């Protein structure tokens, strides 16, 4: 007696493969001509009993498959990502490049994979109603049988060749769906599988209208962007070939170098022919990976730990962030438990823990980016999630905001990294030649001027604030009273720095408390090089000129004993008006 084929084995003869497929078909209550002839040899009572049992089996399977056919997928083109996921969960020999090819023809879609070929468990899963051959495999994501059935959103006949297996499924719109789980042994196609191809799906469209094919092409182009390969664990190459469909006749291939266990992933896009949707390019992702532990119990998972991987796209030339116009600015790869339609993430304890892990990994990423000295060090905030976010991800932004608010992720002008609320944005009136008017003190609150102004606005949401009037006055006082050389006193009066300083004073004088402080500070330079405070103007200070016009300048004589403003201090009209507000007389 021949040994039966094991679940993880592949047949070595066509006869073995045929028997497995026939056994599955028979278990669905289907009889071929040979089966029917044998049944006719039995008693009428036995025939009726068998028919009732077969009908009961068909009814049980049909309840599930009809639900799949009518409700499971919100989009009939959902099969594209499902086939991608199944291919990524397949087994590949080390000698081959894991590759999936979509060949789009006017009447059929051919999907070729370089996988090793189906095992018996794979065949049984693809013919089952809800079981998966991947349930306990931590290296896989999808359900080989579960997701495959989505192909009937576009097809009425799907022929599968994999190694020695060759069978098809038939399902028409409106049927109970039993044809989606009932394999029919089929003679292999006359067109041999190309070298290196382990499995081929040949799906004949249920709809042959030009509008359907046009929509299919559009969906494939939009559902397979250059970022697709990032989240796939095994696939290294993805090819899409349009053979004279919907005005397309070109081939685009995506090749991935690197993995989620490395610092960078590079995806090269190459186009053969003319395409308006794709062009030759290289996409680069920074990869950050974190393992999270002590996860809550989950019936569909057999572990309490998992990896979270985030991908941040950067410009291949300058390293600056590249963010899409729509969707979120970074990619997430994680083992979320998905809803039945595979398009939503239920709000479960397991999934919430993974969402918290995304927050933790994002913070790890930003802490990794800071301090590198390259472009991303000062532009990472472009990756912050966009608001508003609905559904399961609604709390993601708030979680990231709270986490980053307490992280030392922003650089000060002195080169230290601090939490955002510890640093201050300097207004233009507190700067001269892109530098602060007065140096910072040991508190080190000035944010580095390497950050773009647009980025500073984003960082306000994390706690970054404008410098206050009080903080500016403290640094002015320290400049005057400190041991270091004073900017105020050490800069020549004819330098533009003093014009910038007087502009600052003009602004500060509008605040009552600031004005009271300034009145006590020696900020007025006299012709004797002495500095005095406005509150001493009980002994008046005068402008140095009796007449100060372009053609005539007459100074107040020295022998009058009057206190005079330094001649260069009011050489610029903007300064003279501010000194007048300080109480200097004409």
């Amino acid at each position: 007696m021949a040994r039966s084929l094991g679940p993880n084995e592949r047949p070595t003869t066509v006869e073995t493969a045929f028997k497995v497929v026939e056994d599955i078909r028979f278990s669905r209550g289907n009889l071929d001509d040979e089966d029917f002839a044998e049944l006719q040899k039995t008693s009428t009572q036995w025939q009726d009993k068998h028919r009732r049992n077969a009908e009961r089996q068909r009814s049980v399977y049909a309840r599930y498959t009809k639900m799949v056919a009518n409700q499971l997928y919100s989009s009939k083109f959902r099969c594209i990502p499902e086939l991608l996921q199944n291919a990524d969960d397949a087994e590949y020999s080390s000698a081959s490049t894991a590759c999936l090819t979509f060949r789009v023809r006017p009447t059929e879609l051919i999907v070729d994979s370089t996988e090793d070929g189906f095992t018996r468990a794979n065949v049984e899963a693809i013919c089952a109603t809800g079981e998966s051959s991947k349930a306990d495999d931590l290296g896989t994501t999808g359900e080989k049988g579960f997701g495959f059935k989505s192909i009937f959103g576009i097809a009425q006949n799907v022929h599968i060749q994999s190694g020695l297996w060759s069978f098809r499924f038939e399902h028409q719109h409106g049927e109970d769906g039993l044809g989606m789980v009932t394999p029919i042994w089929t003679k292999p196609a006359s067109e041999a599988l190309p070298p290196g191809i382990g499995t081929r799906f040949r799906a004949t469209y249920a709809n042959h209208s030009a509008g359907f094919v046009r929509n299919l092409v559009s969906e494939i182009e939009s559902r397979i962007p250059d970022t697709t390969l990032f989240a796939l664990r095994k696939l290294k190459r993805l090819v899409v070939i349009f053979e004279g469909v919907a005005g397309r006749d070109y081939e685009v291939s995506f090749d991935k170098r690197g993995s989620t266990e490395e610092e960078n992933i590079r995806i090269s896009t190459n186009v053969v022919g003319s395409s308006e949707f794709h062009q030759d390019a290289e996409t680069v992702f920074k990869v950050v990976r974190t393992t999270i532990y002590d996860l809550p119990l989950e019936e569909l998972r057999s572990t309490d730990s998992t990896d979270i991987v985030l991908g941040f796209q950067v410009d291949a030339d300058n390293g600056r962030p590249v963010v899409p116009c729509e969707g979120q600015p970074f990619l997430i790869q994680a083992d979320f438990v998905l809803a039945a339609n595979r398009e939503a993430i239920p709000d479960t304890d397991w999934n919430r823990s993974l969402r918290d892990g995304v927050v933790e990994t994002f913070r790890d990423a930003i802490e990794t980016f800071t301090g590198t000295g390259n472009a991303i060090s000062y532009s990472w905030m472009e990756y912050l999630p966009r608001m508003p976010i609905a559904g399961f991800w609604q709390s993601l932004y708030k979680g990231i905001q709270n986490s980053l608010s307490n992280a030392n992720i922003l650089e000060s002008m002195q080169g230290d990294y601090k939490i955002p609320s510890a640093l201050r944005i300097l207004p233009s009136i507190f700067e001269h030649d892109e530098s602060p008017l007065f140096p910072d003190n040991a508190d080190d609150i000035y944010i580095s001027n390497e950050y773009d102004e647009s980025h500073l606005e984003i960082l306000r949401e994390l706690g970054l604030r404008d410098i206050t009037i009080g903080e500016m006055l403290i640094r002015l006082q320290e400049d005057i009273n400190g041991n270091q050389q004073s900017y105020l006193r050490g800069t020549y009066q004819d330098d533009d720095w003093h014009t910038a300083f007087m502009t600052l004073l003009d602004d500060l004088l509008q605040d009552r408390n600031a004005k009271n402080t300034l009145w006590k500070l020696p900020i007025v330079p006299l012709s004797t090089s002495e500095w005095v405070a406005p509150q001493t103007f009980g002994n008046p200070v005068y402008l140095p000129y009796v007449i100060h016009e372009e053609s005539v300048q007459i100074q107040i004589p020295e022998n009058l004993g009057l206190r005079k403003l330094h001649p260069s201090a009011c050489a610029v009209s903007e300064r003279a008006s501010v000194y007048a507000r300080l109480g200097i007389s004409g």
Side-chain angles (χ1 to χ4, degrees), residues 4 34 80 94 115 127 137 162 181 216 303 307 326 340 355 360 379 397 405 414 457 480 487 519 536 563 570:
S4 62
E34 184 178 344
I80 305 304
S94 58
E115 66 169 281
C127 299
D137 188 346
S162 185
V181 296
L216 173 63
T303 180
D307 289 336
E326 298 179 355
R355 183 178 60 198
E360 178 185 337
S379 53
Y397 179 78
S405 295
Q414 296 181 17
E457 292 303 310
I480 294 171
Y487 275 58
W519 232 248
T536 68
R563 295 200 304 174
C570 60

Side-chain angles (χ1 to χ4, degrees), residues 104 217 220-221 240-245 248-252:
V104 188
V217 169
I220 291 177
E221 287 181 323
V240 182
I241 304 171
F242 296 102
E243 296 186 350
V245 288
R248 272 78 159 178
D249 199 355
Y250 72 90
E251 174 181 328
V252 58

Side-chain angles (χ1 to χ4, degrees), residues 228 231 335:
T228 300
D335 191 21

Side-chain angles (χ1 to χ4, degrees), residues 18 43 137 140 249 292 312 410 436 442 448 458 478 491-492 554:
F18 173 79
S43 66
D137 188 346
T140 64
D249 199 355
I292 56 175
F312 301 86
L410 294 184
S448 170
I458 299 174
E478 290 176 342
T491 306
Y492 290 114
I554 301 175

Side-chain angles (χ1 to χ4, degrees), residues 543-548 553-557:
L543 293 174
Y545 297 97
V546 176
I547 298 176
H548 190 192
Q553 296 180 2
I554 301 175
Q555 290 195 30
I556 297 175

